[in-house]
Amino acid sequence: MSHLPPQTKTLGPCGPLRGTITVPGDKSISHRSLMLSALAVGESRVEGLLEGEDVLATAAAMRAMGAEIQRGADGIWRIHGVGVGGLRQPDTALEMGNSGTSTRLLMGLVASHAITATFTGDASLSGRPMGRVIEPLSAMGAAITASLGGRLPLMLRGLCPAVPITYTLPVASAQVKSAILLAGLNTPGITTVIEPVATRDHSERMLAGFGADLSVEQGPEGRIIQIRGEAELRPQQIVVPGDPSSAAFWLVAASVVPDSDILVANVGLNPTRTGVIAALRLMGADITEENARVVGGEPVADLRVRHATLRAIEVPTELTPSMIDEYPVLFVAAAFAEGRTVARGAHELRVKESDRIAAMRAALELCGVVCEEFEDGLAITGTGGAPIAGGATIASLLDHRIAMSLSVAALHARRPITIDDAAPVATSYPGFYASLDRLAADTAEQAA
């Protein structure tokens, strides 16, 4: 898989952001639509797929294991699956690039097939621990040889038939839950996942849509998800809604740049993904939903956001699972709020594409923002709506969300902010800077 060379990006203050944009397809749904379509018998069609590097890594891996996957000139992806249990031995290592989601979910798929796969990734992904997935998949019978610290590159030898397990998630993680459920697809009997804290439920919704025998109940220990193995999946027609994680950048940008008014069209509003909207509304953001509808079992709406005066809050920890990817840009919103915002309970940020707690503290402090770092979050003292100082060069650490979050911060800074490498943005939002150009013609921007 090819990687873009480093791209330095400098952005400065801009005038009001105005217009209507459509964000890329939801990354979580895009990954899962490719994987499950590849396990169905017949042709599935996926419209609106996110065509970023992470999702393309998933497509390449499923091709390597036997699925036929093609993108038509009409932008629709057509997938001819191999059936549950039909994955074949890949000829070469599966190159995951920067995609932790691809890696963890595909490890689940391979775990219950009689094949061996080697997973490799870029420097960022290779530094991220996979132990939380290795533990339950090993209990199901997979033999996993990982690099020091449970990291990539690693080799996974699946077991067929695998052993069904009942597993309680020690930490809230949709990726770990999904990996176990995907392994359970080709495992005889019933595989059970108990999550004490609910996480995004795209896997459950999509597995049921493809015809898997899956149940979800609320018990005293939390949500109990059970899947009966040796499933037969039916091909589907899928329309991927816009990614709320990508929309979050525009929600914050329009909230902090004076006189802004943006309509973000076709945003997925799965209730397990809308924590950042709830948090921003608690801060006083002016976000309204228009044209609410249901598409493919997922709630969708157009989001209109106007500039507003933001107030500091203590971010409710119960929102954490539904906004874990949006914390970096929420930290940016806090930098412009009135008062001291405290966000805690987000330990998982330490093991994302970068240590997002330390990375955002360092970046914001370089831009003149007062921060206090905790093991599980940050406290940020905002400007009350005034521009931040800016004038810094920020290390993105190969993390697309760090790069985009600081790009948003630059739009209301006194001096331009330079991102040392904006190339990772292509992993999730290839058109981010083109969209910014459309919304703010006066944005002071240069690429070197």
Side-chain angles (χ1 to χ4, degrees), residues 287-326:
I287 303 171
T288 57
E289 298 172 19
E290 301 179 2
N291 191 24
R293 54 208 186 271
V294 176
V295 178
E298 294 275 353
V300 174
D302 305 328
L303 298 180
R304 186 171 187 182
V305 56
R306 303 174 180 89
H307 173 253
T309 300
L310 300 182
R311 304 179 300 272
I313 63 169
E314 185 165 334
V315 181
T317 55
E318 59 265 26
L319 293 178
T320 299
S322 61
M323 59 177 286
I324 194 68
D325 287 332
E326 290 77 63

Short mmCIF file of all heavy atoms in Angstrom, two decimals, residues 287-326:
data_model
loop_
_atom_site.label_atom_id
_atom_site.label_comp_id
_atom_site.label_asym_id
_atom_site.label_seq_id
_atom_site.Cartn_x
_atom_site.Cartn_y
_atom_site.Cartn_z
N ILE A 287 -26.35 23.97 17.13
CA ILE A 287 -26.39 22.87 16.17
C ILE A 287 -27.83 22.38 16.08
O ILE A 287 -28.42 21.97 17.08
CB ILE A 287 -25.48 21.70 16.60
CG1 ILE A 287 -24.04 22.18 16.77
CG2 ILE A 287 -25.55 20.56 15.57
CD1 ILE A 287 -23.12 21.15 17.41
N THR A 288 -28.40 22.42 14.88
CA THR A 288 -29.77 21.95 14.68
C THR A 288 -29.79 20.85 13.63
O THR A 288 -28.96 20.82 12.72
CB THR A 288 -30.70 23.10 14.24
OG1 THR A 288 -30.19 23.70 13.04
CG2 THR A 288 -30.80 24.16 15.32
N GLU A 289 -30.76 19.95 13.77
CA GLU A 289 -30.92 18.84 12.83
C GLU A 289 -32.04 19.16 11.86
O GLU A 289 -33.13 19.56 12.27
CB GLU A 289 -31.22 17.55 13.59
CG GLU A 289 -30.11 17.13 14.53
CD GLU A 289 -30.50 15.96 15.42
OE1 GLU A 289 -31.47 15.25 15.07
OE2 GLU A 289 -29.85 15.76 16.46
N GLU A 290 -31.77 18.97 10.58
CA GLU A 290 -32.76 19.20 9.55
C GLU A 290 -32.90 17.93 8.70
O GLU A 290 -31.95 17.18 8.52
CB GLU A 290 -32.34 20.38 8.66
CG GLU A 290 -32.16 21.69 9.43
CD GLU A 290 -31.73 22.85 8.55
OE1 GLU A 290 -31.61 22.65 7.31
OE2 GLU A 290 -31.52 23.95 9.09
N ASN A 291 -34.10 17.72 8.17
CA ASN A 291 -34.36 16.59 7.27
C ASN A 291 -33.95 15.27 7.89
O ASN A 291 -33.28 14.44 7.27
CB ASN A 291 -33.63 16.82 5.94
CG ASN A 291 -34.04 15.83 4.85
OD1 ASN A 291 -35.14 15.27 4.89
ND2 ASN A 291 -33.16 15.61 3.89
N ALA A 292 -34.37 15.03 9.13
CA ALA A 292 -34.05 13.77 9.80
C ALA A 292 -34.71 12.60 9.08
O ALA A 292 -35.86 12.69 8.65
CB ALA A 292 -34.50 13.82 11.26
N ARG A 293 -33.99 11.49 8.95
CA ARG A 293 -34.48 10.34 8.21
C ARG A 293 -33.71 9.10 8.65
O ARG A 293 -32.76 9.20 9.42
CB ARG A 293 -34.33 10.55 6.70
CG ARG A 293 -32.90 10.90 6.29
CD ARG A 293 -32.87 11.75 5.02
NE ARG A 293 -31.53 12.00 4.52
CZ ARG A 293 -30.78 13.04 4.89
NH1 ARG A 293 -31.24 13.91 5.79
NH2 ARG A 293 -29.58 13.22 4.36
N VAL A 294 -34.14 7.93 8.17
CA VAL A 294 -33.46 6.68 8.44
C VAL A 294 -33.00 6.09 7.11
O VAL A 294 -33.81 5.94 6.19
CB VAL A 294 -34.36 5.69 9.19
CG1 VAL A 294 -33.64 4.36 9.37
CG2 VAL A 294 -34.77 6.26 10.55
N VAL A 295 -31.71 5.77 7.00
CA VAL A 295 -31.15 5.20 5.77
C VAL A 295 -30.41 3.92 6.14
O VAL A 295 -29.46 3.94 6.93
CB VAL A 295 -30.17 6.19 5.08
CG1 VAL A 295 -29.56 5.54 3.83
CG2 VAL A 295 -30.89 7.48 4.72
N GLY A 296 -30.87 2.81 5.60
CA GLY A 296 -30.22 1.53 5.87
C GLY A 296 -30.16 1.18 7.34
O GLY A 296 -29.18 0.59 7.80
N GLY A 297 -31.20 1.55 8.09
CA GLY A 297 -31.23 1.24 9.51
C GLY A 297 -30.47 2.20 10.39
O GLY A 297 -30.44 2.03 11.61
N GLU A 298 -29.85 3.23 9.79
CA GLU A 298 -29.08 4.21 10.56
C GLU A 298 -29.77 5.58 10.49
O GLU A 298 -30.14 6.05 9.41
CB GLU A 298 -27.66 4.34 9.99
CG GLU A 298 -26.80 3.10 10.13
CD GLU A 298 -26.12 3.01 11.48
OE1 GLU A 298 -26.18 3.96 12.27
OE2 GLU A 298 -25.50 1.95 11.75
N PRO A 299 -29.96 6.25 11.64
CA PRO A 299 -30.53 7.60 11.62
C PRO A 299 -29.57 8.59 10.97
O PRO A 299 -28.36 8.56 11.21
CB PRO A 299 -30.75 7.92 13.10
CG PRO A 299 -29.79 7.02 13.83
CD PRO A 299 -29.65 5.79 13.00
N VAL A 300 -30.12 9.47 10.15
CA VAL A 300 -29.33 10.43 9.37
C VAL A 300 -30.04 11.78 9.41
O VAL A 300 -31.27 11.84 9.46
CB VAL A 300 -29.18 9.96 7.90
CG1 VAL A 300 -28.48 11.01 7.05
CG2 VAL A 300 -28.41 8.64 7.84
N ALA A 301 -29.28 12.87 9.37
CA ALA A 301 -29.87 14.21 9.26
C ALA A 301 -28.82 15.16 8.68
O ALA A 301 -27.62 14.83 8.61
CB ALA A 301 -30.35 14.72 10.62
N ASP A 302 -29.29 16.33 8.25
CA ASP A 302 -28.39 17.42 7.88
C ASP A 302 -28.20 18.28 9.13
O ASP A 302 -29.17 18.59 9.83
CB ASP A 302 -28.99 18.25 6.75
CG ASP A 302 -29.36 17.41 5.54
OD1 ASP A 302 -28.68 16.40 5.29
OD2 ASP A 302 -30.34 17.75 4.85
N LEU A 303 -26.96 18.65 9.41
CA LEU A 303 -26.66 19.43 10.61
C LEU A 303 -26.31 20.87 10.23
O LEU A 303 -25.38 21.10 9.45
CB LEU A 303 -25.49 18.80 11.38
CG LEU A 303 -25.70 17.39 11.93
CD1 LEU A 303 -24.45 16.93 12.66
CD2 LEU A 303 -26.92 17.34 12.84
N ARG A 304 -27.07 21.81 10.78
CA ARG A 304 -26.75 23.23 10.56
C ARG A 304 -26.11 23.77 11.83
O ARG A 304 -26.64 23.60 12.94
CB ARG A 304 -28.01 24.03 10.24
CG ARG A 304 -27.69 25.48 9.87
CD ARG A 304 -28.88 26.23 9.34
NE ARG A 304 -28.50 27.53 8.85
CZ ARG A 304 -29.37 28.43 8.37
NH1 ARG A 304 -30.67 28.13 8.32
NH2 ARG A 304 -28.95 29.60 7.94
N VAL A 305 -24.95 24.39 11.67
CA VAL A 305 -24.22 24.92 12.82
C VAL A 305 -23.84 26.36 12.54
O VAL A 305 -23.35 26.70 11.46
CB VAL A 305 -22.97 24.05 13.13
CG1 VAL A 305 -22.05 23.93 11.92
CG2 VAL A 305 -22.20 24.62 14.32
N ARG A 306 -24.11 27.21 13.52
CA ARG A 306 -23.80 28.64 13.43
C ARG A 306 -22.86 29.02 14.56
O ARG A 306 -22.85 28.39 15.62
CB ARG A 306 -25.08 29.47 13.52
CG ARG A 306 -26.15 29.16 12.48
CD ARG A 306 -27.41 29.97 12.78
NE ARG A 306 -28.49 29.73 11.84
CZ ARG A 306 -29.40 28.78 11.96
NH1 ARG A 306 -29.35 27.94 12.98
NH2 ARG A 306 -30.37 28.65 11.07
N HIS A 307 -22.11 30.08 14.34
CA HIS A 307 -21.20 30.57 15.37
C HIS A 307 -21.96 30.83 16.66
O HIS A 307 -23.09 31.31 16.66
CB HIS A 307 -20.52 31.86 14.91
CG HIS A 307 -19.70 32.51 15.97
ND1 HIS A 307 -20.09 33.66 16.63
CD2 HIS A 307 -18.52 32.15 16.54
CE1 HIS A 307 -19.18 33.99 17.52
NE2 HIS A 307 -18.21 33.09 17.48
N ALA A 308 -21.34 30.48 17.78
CA ALA A 308 -21.95 30.67 19.09
C ALA A 308 -20.87 30.91 20.12
O ALA A 308 -19.71 30.55 19.93
CB ALA A 308 -22.78 29.44 19.47
N THR A 309 -21.26 31.53 21.22
CA THR A 309 -20.36 31.70 22.34
C THR A 309 -20.33 30.41 23.15
O THR A 309 -21.37 29.95 23.63
CB THR A 309 -20.82 32.86 23.23
OG1 THR A 309 -20.84 34.07 22.46
CG2 THR A 309 -19.89 33.03 24.43
N LEU A 310 -19.16 29.82 23.27
CA LEU A 310 -19.04 28.55 23.97
C LEU A 310 -18.66 28.77 25.43
O LEU A 310 -17.90 29.68 25.76
CB LEU A 310 -17.98 27.66 23.30
CG LEU A 310 -18.23 27.30 21.83
CD1 LEU A 310 -17.13 26.39 21.32
CD2 LEU A 310 -19.60 26.65 21.65
N ARG A 311 -19.21 27.91 26.29
CA ARG A 311 -18.94 27.96 27.72
C ARG A 311 -18.20 26.70 28.15
O ARG A 311 -18.46 25.61 27.63
CB ARG A 311 -20.24 28.06 28.52
CG ARG A 311 -21.14 29.22 28.15
CD ARG A 311 -22.41 29.17 29.00
NE ARG A 311 -23.16 27.93 28.78
CZ ARG A 311 -24.07 27.77 27.83
NH1 ARG A 311 -24.32 28.77 26.98
NH2 ARG A 311 -24.72 26.62 27.70
N ALA A 312 -17.31 26.83 29.09
CA ALA A 312 -16.58 25.66 29.60
C ALA A 312 -17.54 24.74 30.34
O ALA A 312 -18.51 25.18 30.96
CB ALA A 312 -15.47 26.11 30.54
N ILE A 313 -17.27 23.44 30.25
CA ILE A 313 -18.06 22.45 30.95
C ILE A 313 -17.12 21.39 31.54
O ILE A 313 -15.94 21.33 31.20
CB ILE A 313 -19.08 21.74 30.03
CG1 ILE A 313 -18.34 20.96 28.91
CG2 ILE A 313 -20.09 22.71 29.48
CD1 ILE A 313 -19.25 20.03 28.11
N GLU A 314 -17.67 20.58 32.41
CA GLU A 314 -17.02 19.33 32.78
C GLU A 314 -17.67 18.27 31.91
O GLU A 314 -18.87 17.98 32.07
CB GLU A 314 -17.21 19.03 34.27
CG GLU A 314 -16.46 17.79 34.71
CD GLU A 314 -16.33 17.69 36.22
OE1 GLU A 314 -16.36 18.73 36.89
OE2 GLU A 314 -16.20 16.55 36.71
N VAL A 315 -16.92 17.70 30.98
CA VAL A 315 -17.49 16.79 29.99
C VAL A 315 -17.99 15.53 30.70
O VAL A 315 -17.21 14.85 31.38
CB VAL A 315 -16.46 16.42 28.92
CG1 VAL A 315 -17.08 15.48 27.88
CG2 VAL A 315 -15.91 17.67 28.24
N PRO A 316 -19.27 15.19 30.56
CA PRO A 316 -19.78 13.99 31.24
C PRO A 316 -19.04 12.73 30.77
O PRO A 316 -18.93 12.48 29.57
CB PRO A 316 -21.25 13.95 30.81
CG PRO A 316 -21.60 15.37 30.45
CD PRO A 316 -20.34 15.92 29.85
N THR A 317 -18.54 11.96 31.70
CA THR A 317 -17.76 10.77 31.32
C THR A 317 -18.61 9.74 30.61
O THR A 317 -18.08 8.92 29.85
CB THR A 317 -17.11 10.14 32.56
OG1 THR A 317 -18.12 9.86 33.53
CG2 THR A 317 -16.07 11.06 33.16
N GLU A 318 -19.94 9.77 30.82
CA GLU A 318 -20.78 8.80 30.13
C GLU A 318 -20.84 9.04 28.62
O GLU A 318 -21.26 8.17 27.86
CB GLU A 318 -22.21 8.79 30.70
CG GLU A 318 -22.94 10.11 30.63
CD GLU A 318 -22.80 10.93 31.92
OE1 GLU A 318 -21.79 10.74 32.64
OE2 GLU A 318 -23.70 11.74 32.18
N LEU A 319 -20.38 10.20 28.18
CA LEU A 319 -20.32 10.47 26.74
C LEU A 319 -19.08 9.88 26.08
O LEU A 319 -19.01 9.78 24.86
CB LEU A 319 -20.34 11.98 26.48
CG LEU A 319 -21.62 12.74 26.82
CD1 LEU A 319 -21.44 14.23 26.54
CD2 LEU A 319 -22.82 12.20 26.04
N THR A 320 -18.10 9.49 26.89
CA THR A 320 -16.80 9.09 26.35
C THR A 320 -16.88 8.02 25.27
O THR A 320 -16.29 8.19 24.18
CB THR A 320 -15.86 8.63 27.48
OG1 THR A 320 -15.67 9.71 28.39
CG2 THR A 320 -14.52 8.19 26.93
N PRO A 321 -17.60 6.89 25.47
CA PRO A 321 -17.60 5.86 24.42
C PRO A 321 -18.19 6.33 23.10
O PRO A 321 -17.82 5.82 22.04
CB PRO A 321 -18.46 4.75 25.03
CG PRO A 321 -18.41 4.97 26.50
CD PRO A 321 -18.34 6.45 26.66
N SER A 322 -19.08 7.33 23.15
CA SER A 322 -19.73 7.78 21.92
C SER A 322 -19.03 8.96 21.27
O SER A 322 -19.54 9.55 20.31
CB SER A 322 -21.19 8.16 22.20
OG SER A 322 -21.29 9.21 23.14
N MET A 323 -17.84 9.32 21.77
CA MET A 323 -17.10 10.42 21.16
C MET A 323 -15.60 10.26 21.30
O MET A 323 -14.86 11.24 21.21
CB MET A 323 -17.53 11.76 21.79
CG MET A 323 -17.31 11.84 23.29
SD MET A 323 -17.75 13.45 23.98
CE MET A 323 -16.36 14.42 23.41
N ILE A 324 -15.12 9.04 21.47
CA ILE A 324 -13.70 8.86 21.76
C ILE A 324 -12.82 9.41 20.65
O ILE A 324 -11.75 9.98 20.91
CB ILE A 324 -13.38 7.36 22.04
CG1 ILE A 324 -11.99 7.22 22.66
CG2 ILE A 324 -13.56 6.51 20.78
CD1 ILE A 324 -11.86 7.78 24.05
N ASP A 325 -13.26 9.30 19.38
CA ASP A 325 -12.44 9.81 18.28
C ASP A 325 -12.53 11.33 18.12
O ASP A 325 -11.71 11.93 17.42
CB ASP A 325 -12.84 9.14 16.96
CG ASP A 325 -12.39 7.70 16.88
OD1 ASP A 325 -11.37 7.37 17.51
OD2 ASP A 325 -13.05 6.91 16.19
N GLU A 326 -13.52 11.94 18.76
CA GLU A 326 -13.75 13.37 18.58
C GLU A 326 -13.12 14.22 19.67
O GLU A 326 -13.20 15.45 19.64
CB GLU A 326 -15.26 13.66 18.51
CG GLU A 326 -15.92 13.15 17.25
CD GLU A 326 -16.16 11.64 17.28
OE1 GLU A 326 -16.92 11.16 18.14
OE2 GLU A 326 -15.55 10.93 16.46
#
